[in-house]
Amino acid sequence: MNFYGYHRKDGTVGIRNYLTIISTVICANEVAEAISNKVRDAVPILHPQGCCQMPIDLKRVTSTLAGLGINPNVGAVLLVSLGCEGVNLEEVENKIRQAGKPVEKVIIQEIGGISKAVAKGVELAELMAEELNKQEKKPASISDLVVGVKCGSSDTLSGLLTNPIVGMAVDKIIDCGGRVIFGEVTEMIGAENHLIRRIKNQEIKDKIINSIINMENRAKSVGEDMREGQPTPGNIKGGLTTIEEKSLGAIIKSGSKTIDDFIEYGEQVREGKLTVIDSPGREPELLTGLAAAGAQIIIFTTGRGAPQGYPICPVIKVTANPRTCDKLNELIDVGFTINDNDVVDIESVFDTDSNKLLSYFNEVCNGRLSKAEINKYNKFINIYVTGPVI
Amino acid sequence: MIKAIVMNERDNVATALCDITEGSRPVIVGSKSGQGIVVKSDIPFGHKFALCRVLENTLIIKYGEVIGVSTSFIDAGDYVHVHNVESLRGRGDQ
């Protein structure tokens, strides 16, 4: 499976070539948005973090923003800072520059206010956009890809059909040399038996189990039953009864290969073919974690229909729920139709459908717009934090 | 016509693959094919019913793994969901 992509100086390959306007703190969001509105094809990264947080979270926001800047789909970056935030602006800038990418910055307090910052930002961004437009795509292969996998608005069919089909596609991507990353540690609660059998060594096993325990303890620490949040009311309506049931259905989307690495939120994927990222299940936080880890494309399984995309990654929506397929066709990229007779020979159905998904996936890598890109449903992102806002 | 699926031979619940009406005897496929259980209430698409009698405080098994515990007696064919099963994990209330 080959495609044409943008070859970066750090050896990675982008399937898109975004000029990204990254706000480094909540207070700079509106300036970053105003700049991106005035520059054709610029994409803003706006988020509610970046200041008045515990040191662990400020470090994480810093590394996550840098990770988004060095994502292979990003061709150039304009950082928009207020000037007094807790995020380490210099570190974000340096990491992006070290990856060989053009990076500029505008600091609102230094330049003299909103209108001056917007004017300067537009000037800098337009210069970078001009350079990006000259870049050409060159041949690349699936081994240049990091693929994120996620599920959202799940129903029981997600666990029975959709996620097993995606799991088979994940196995095939890895067989072709690609790397895959998945998270949603909340949805590993109750699926430990299944996971443990597939983890490479004791060290990675301990890290993953500890992250599951930490996630469960975080939920318990408020002294209430977790069910009001997980499974979600929509999951329950769709037939899921408990977090354990949701987890067992969710984990199947990671396929059957050995899990050979674990990374913290904000870190980039390494050599591992199948990596777990420490992250919760909610879309705004997890999609950011996958993109910051280096994913150029995300496969997103859904039961009841989820609209979310991501500013710098095509997100492919997949479902085997025929009702969702019909009703929410504008959101769904690939729908699988399982007939009564198919259930008898389910393995061959999974094989055919996973090939159908991979063929669409290849088209998106080659530039076909995913439904979330067409819908531009990609404004609301967040960064996962563990401590309080102070 | 296939109406429900069982994921693992250890499971004590089946999942409906369409809306199943009270009193019908759905065809079941998967790890426990051919069972003819009469469902005792309407089972919505994607929801579960019991394959056997389940006493109160008994583990509910799907995918061959524990997905929760019964909070009341559940008869074969009864609807199994949040009204009679609760999670064992992620809880701060016990």
Side-chain angles (χ1 to χ4, degrees):
Chain A
M1 197 188 305
N2 295 315
F3 65 95
Y4 283 80
Y6 299 93
H7 289 248
R8 309 295 182 196
K9 286 181 180 161
D10 62 357
T12 61
V13 179
I15 61 171
R16 299 288 185 268
N17 201 22
Y18 290 117
L19 167 60
T20 306
I21 317 292
I22 300 180
S23 168
T24 56
V25 61
I26 183 170
C27 322
N29 277 351
E30 297 197 29
V31 171
E33 190 175 23
I35 295 168
S36 69
N37 284 341
K38 291 182 184 213
V39 181
R40 194 168 165 247
D41 295 335
V43 175
I45 297 276
L46 313 173
H47 60 88
Q49 310 298 344
C51 202
C52 300
Q53 296 178 275
M54 304 299 281
I56 183 177
D57 287 331
L58 285 176
K59 278 182 198 154
R60 185 180 290 178
V61 174
T62 300
S63 64
T64 302
L65 293 177
L68 293 174
I70 62 177
N71 181 290
N73 290 346
V74 174
V77 180
L78 174 68
L79 298 169
V80 182
S81 154
L82 177 61
C84 58
E85 65 265 28
V87 152
N88 189 333
L89 175 67
E90 201 183 354
E91 191 181 322
V92 177
E93 188 185 0
N94 286 342
K95 277 193 177 170
I96 298 170
R97 185 161 289 123
Q98 279 160 17
K101 237 164 245 189
V103 53
E104 299 285 353
K105 62 173 182 279
V106 176
I107 303 171
I108 299 165
Q109 289 169 345
E110 284 185 12
I111 204 163
I114 298 167
S115 51
K116 286 181 181 169
V118 173
K120 184 67 181 172
V122 170
E123 185 191 325
L124 292 167
E126 279 178 348
L127 286 172
M128 290 194 285
E130 213 177 305
E131 288 304 307
L132 286 188
N133 285 335
K134 293 180 194 162
Q135 292 173 357
E136 285 179 9
K137 288 182 173 184
K138 288 176 185 160
S141 83
I142 200 164
S143 60
D144 294 310
L145 288 179
V146 175
V147 182
V149 185
K150 150 103 188 98
C151 51
S153 299
S154 301
D155 63 357
T156 39
L157 282 186
S158 299
L160 299 176
L161 301 170
T162 320
N163 289 337
I165 293 166
V166 168
M168 197 171 270
V170 161
D171 285 352
K172 290 174 183 176
I173 288 167
I174 291 172
D175 283 338
C176 293
R179 284 175 287 169
V180 174
I181 175 165
F182 70 105
E184 298 169 271
V185 171
T186 324
E187 289 156 40
M188 294 177 193
I189 296 172
E192 291 91 340
N193 287 343
H194 173 89
L195 266 174
I196 276 174
R197 290 194 288 270
R198 292 172 48 207
I199 302 175
K200 182 174 111 180
N201 59 33
Q202 195 58 44
E203 186 197 344
I204 311 275
K205 213 175 273 185
D206 289 346
K207 283 182 180 174
I208 292 174
I209 295 301
N210 280 338
S211 96
I212 299 172
I213 293 168
N214 286 341
M215 196 64 81
E216 189 172 8
N217 285 341
R218 285 189 78 198
K220 284 178 175 176
S221 68
V222 293
E224 289 178 22
D225 193 320
M226 180 169 155
R227 279 174 297 178
E228 290 302 314
Q230 286 284 7
T232 65
N235 296 150
I236 291 171
K237 212 172 166 187
L240 292 172
T241 304
T242 62
I243 184 65
E244 295 95 313
E245 184 183 11
K246 184 173 175 177
S247 297
L248 289 160
I251 206 71
I252 306 170
K253 70 181 180 294
S254 67
S256 64
K257 302 285 182 188
T258 302
I259 296 164
D260 53 6
D261 205 1
F262 172 87
I263 60 170
E264 298 293 338
Y265 193 96
E267 282 189 316
Q268 279 76 54
V269 286
R270 298 176 277 248
E271 292 305 308
K273 287 293 176 195
L274 185 58
T275 299
V276 169
I277 180 168
D278 188 16
S279 57
R282 199 169 72 163
E283 283 78 359
E285 289 82 2
L286 179 60
L287 294 176
T288 299
L290 296 173
Q296 297 104 315
I297 183 164
I298 294 165
I299 300 173
F300 187 129
T301 78
T302 185
R304 300 173 61 79
Q308 296 91 344
Y310 200 75
I312 58 168
C313 291
V315 177
I316 300 176
K317 295 283 163 46
V318 183
T319 190
N321 184 325
R323 296 176 190 188
T324 302
C325 233
D326 290 343
K327 202 170 165 186
L328 297 168
N329 183 261
E330 64 171 12
L331 310 177
I332 303 298
D333 291 277
V334 185
F336 307 115
T337 309
I338 311 287
N339 299 312
D340 287 350
N341 294 338
D342 292 339
V343 183
V344 181
D345 186 11
I346 204 73
E347 283 294 312
S348 78
V349 174
F350 289 173
D351 189 42
T352 307
D353 284 337
S354 61
N355 287 341
K356 181 180 165 188
L357 166 60
L358 288 173
S359 150
Y360 183 90
F361 171 91
N362 202 26
E363 286 179 32
V364 173
C365 289
N366 266 311
R368 177 176 180 167
L369 294 180
S370 65
K371 292 282 179 77
E373 286 176 292
I374 293 168
N375 297 333
K376 293 187 176 169
Y377 207 94
N378 57 9
K379 300 287 184 301
F380 294 98
I381 75 152
N382 203 352
I383 299 168
Y384 173 47
V385 292
T386 47
V389 170
I390 50 176
Chain B
M1 178 159 179
I2 289 158
K3 297 275 182 69
I5 187 163
V6 178
M7 300 305 290
N8 186 285
E9 58 187 24
R10 291 183 61 213
D11 295 2
N12 50 15
V13 290
T15 305
L17 293 174
C18 60
D19 290 326
I20 300 174
T21 46
E22 180 185 344
S24 66
R25 191 184 290 268
V27 176
I28 298 170
V29 296
S31 295
K32 285 184 183 174
S33 54
Q35 287 215 10
I37 288 168
V38 176
V39 297
K40 297 199 167 149
S41 58
D42 288 345
I43 312 294
F45 165 69
H47 290 236
K48 296 175 290 299
F49 58 90
L51 290 165
C52 56
R53 284 183 163 210
V54 177
L55 298 177
E56 187 180 343
N57 205 24
T58 301
L59 296 176
I60 304 298
I61 313 286
K62 182 180 172 182
Y63 298 109
E65 304 281 351
V66 175
I67 64 161
V69 63
S70 58
T71 53
S72 62
F73 170 75
I74 303 171
D75 206 353
D78 275 349
Y79 182 32
V80 175
H81 200 31
V82 291
H83 60 286
N84 53 14
V85 175
E86 63 183 12
S87 174
L88 289 161
R89 302 290 301 273
R91 301 178 56 144
D93 63 335
Q94 43 173 243

